[in-house]
Structure formats: structure tokens, C-alpha cells
Amino acid sequence: MLTAVLATLVAVGGYLATLTFGELPLAVVVGALAVLFAVGWPMLTDLPSRPGSGAVVALGGAGAVVVVYLTVGEPFLRALPVVFGASIVLTFINELLRTDGRSHLVESVSGTVAGTLIAACAAGWVATQRAPGGAGLVITGALALAVASTVRALRVPGLAGVGITTGAAVVAGGLGGAVLRGLDPVAGALLGLAVGVLVAAIHELFDRLPALSRVPASLAATVLPVPVTGVLVYVVGRVMVG
């Protein structure tokens, strides 16, 4: 349910961008969520250097959002590889600064890089806002994410839960595409399908981890679908809308 609330905040940020506020409210929301995700990711994945890894993930996620927000003209994500590359360098610096014997080095590096990649995906929301049909895509994608997360909270087991979650997201996306300007029901439904599959997959992947008993790890798992959906909405939007 908290994921649904966070997705609603993203939708509000997308709506405010259609007024006189520009993309700043949306960038602030998704940037803050990227940092919030970074706080719990090292605990969720049991990384050995939690403060350092969390700092790298936070810098990568927030930096990606800032860079995309400041990018002028297409392609909107052209500077994202530079940010991600710099984050990889910071990952190795973090490992060099460890004084614990650098145990589980491979897991630490791979986990930090994976977390940075997830956090950096939050920039996709800002890029989507600037694309054709941007506001409609952001609101529809966030709506599908909110509905899918709410339905998944019912904890229907097995393939039935996956089907119900995905179907609800398809319906939500189709309705958003029918109502919002710049989209059509088919594009909205396909966007909802992608979001629904993503939510169901993330739930199955993380739901049984023992680390979820701790608040920071649980918070990271709750926030995780929001940044990942950002880049998904951008890709699907560019394919379906242009």
C-alpha cells in the first residue's frame, strides 16, 4: 500500500508539471525516493559495507535525476551513462576505503552497482515528462503502478495473484489512456501490462527475503518498484507514442 501512495505522489508531480511548476516537483519527488531507496538497499541485499554502499547508491540515483532534469533537448537520457559510469568508479573507491578485510568483495561490488542502476532508473520519470505525451504517460504509468501495488497487497497466491495484478494494471492503464490527453486506450493498456508484470515479478522476487523484517530493508523493497517503473514507462512511451 505504501508503494501505491508513493506512486500517487509521482502522479501528482506529473500533473503539477502541466501547470506552471515545470518538471521540478516531479524531479524532487523521484530524487527523494531514489535516496530513500538507497538507505535500505544495503540491508535488503546484506551488503558488508552498508554506509558506503548506501552513499554510492544515493549519489548515483540523485545525480541521475539532477542530470536528466538539467539536460536540454533530446535524447533526454544521453548523460545517464556518464552518471552510471561515475557511480561504478565510486563503488570501487568505496571498496578501497573498507577496513574490514574486504570480505564478500564480489557481492559488495555487484550489489552496490545493481542498487545504483535501480536508483538511476528514477530519472526515467523526468525524461518521460519531457517526451511526447509526457504528462499522460507519467500519470498513466503511476496510476497503473498504484493499482497493481494495491491489488498485490491482497496477497493472492500463485499465478492467480500474478494474473489479477497484471489485469488490474492493464485496466488502469487503459482507462488512463482513454481519459488523458496524448494517449489512447491501447497504448495505456500496454503500458499497464508492462507495469503489472513488473510489480508481480518484484513481489515474487523480494517478498520472502528474511531481511524484510527490518524496517530499512522493507522500506527499500517498498520504494523499489517506483524508480524501476520510471525507465520502463519511458521506454514503452517512446515506442508507443513517439
Side-chain angles (χ1 to χ4, degrees):
M1 293 303 297
L2 181 56
T3 304
V5 172
L6 298 178
T8 302
L9 290 178
V10 173
V12 171
Y15 173 73
L16 291 177
T18 63
L19 306 178
T20 59
F21 299 96
E23 294 91 5
L24 183 58
L26 180 62
V28 170
V29 170
V30 297
L33 291 179
V35 174
L36 187 61
F37 164 78
V39 173
W41 175 254
M43 183 177 292
L44 178 65
T45 50
D46 196 23
L47 299 182
S49 178
R50 292 176 183 173
S53 296
V56 172
V57 175
L59 287 173
V65 172
V66 171
V67 166
V68 172
Y69 174 75
L70 296 177
T71 298
V72 179
E74 296 194 58
F76 303 112
L77 298 180
R78 63 179 181 271
L80 198 57
V82 177
V83 177
F84 187 60
S87 299
I88 294 177
V89 174
L90 288 177
T91 299
F92 285 107
I93 293 175
N94 174 55
E95 298 303 322
L96 290 173
L97 293 176
R98 288 175 59 187
T99 58
D100 57 358
R102 298 189 188 125
S103 60
H104 303 286
L105 181 62
V106 175
E107 293 89 339
S108 181
V109 171
S110 60
T112 304
V113 171
T116 303
L117 180 60
I118 293 171
C121 286
W125 289 110
V126 180
T128 302
Q129 185 69 48
R130 294 182 171 182
L137 284 169
V138 169
I139 296 173
T140 300
L143 174 64
L145 176 58
V147 170
S149 300
T150 301
V151 172
R152 199 57 184 162
L154 299 176
R155 296 187 176 275
V156 179
L159 292 177
V162 174
I164 293 173
T165 300
T166 304
V170 170
V171 173
L175 290 175
V179 172
L180 296 170
R181 183 180 304 175
L183 282 180
D184 59 73
V186 174
L190 289 175
L191 179 58
L193 175 64
V195 173
V197 171
L198 176 66
V199 170
I202 290 175
H203 178 84
E204 292 298 325
L205 182 62
F206 289 99
D207 189 50
R208 295 177 179 84
L209 289 182
L212 292 179
S213 60
R214 289 169 286 183
V215 174
S218 180
L219 189 59
T222 300
V223 175
L224 189 152
V226 181
V228 175
T229 303
V231 75
L232 177 67
V233 170
Y234 178 76
V235 172
V236 174
R238 295 313 301 260
V239 172
M240 296 301 300
V241 180

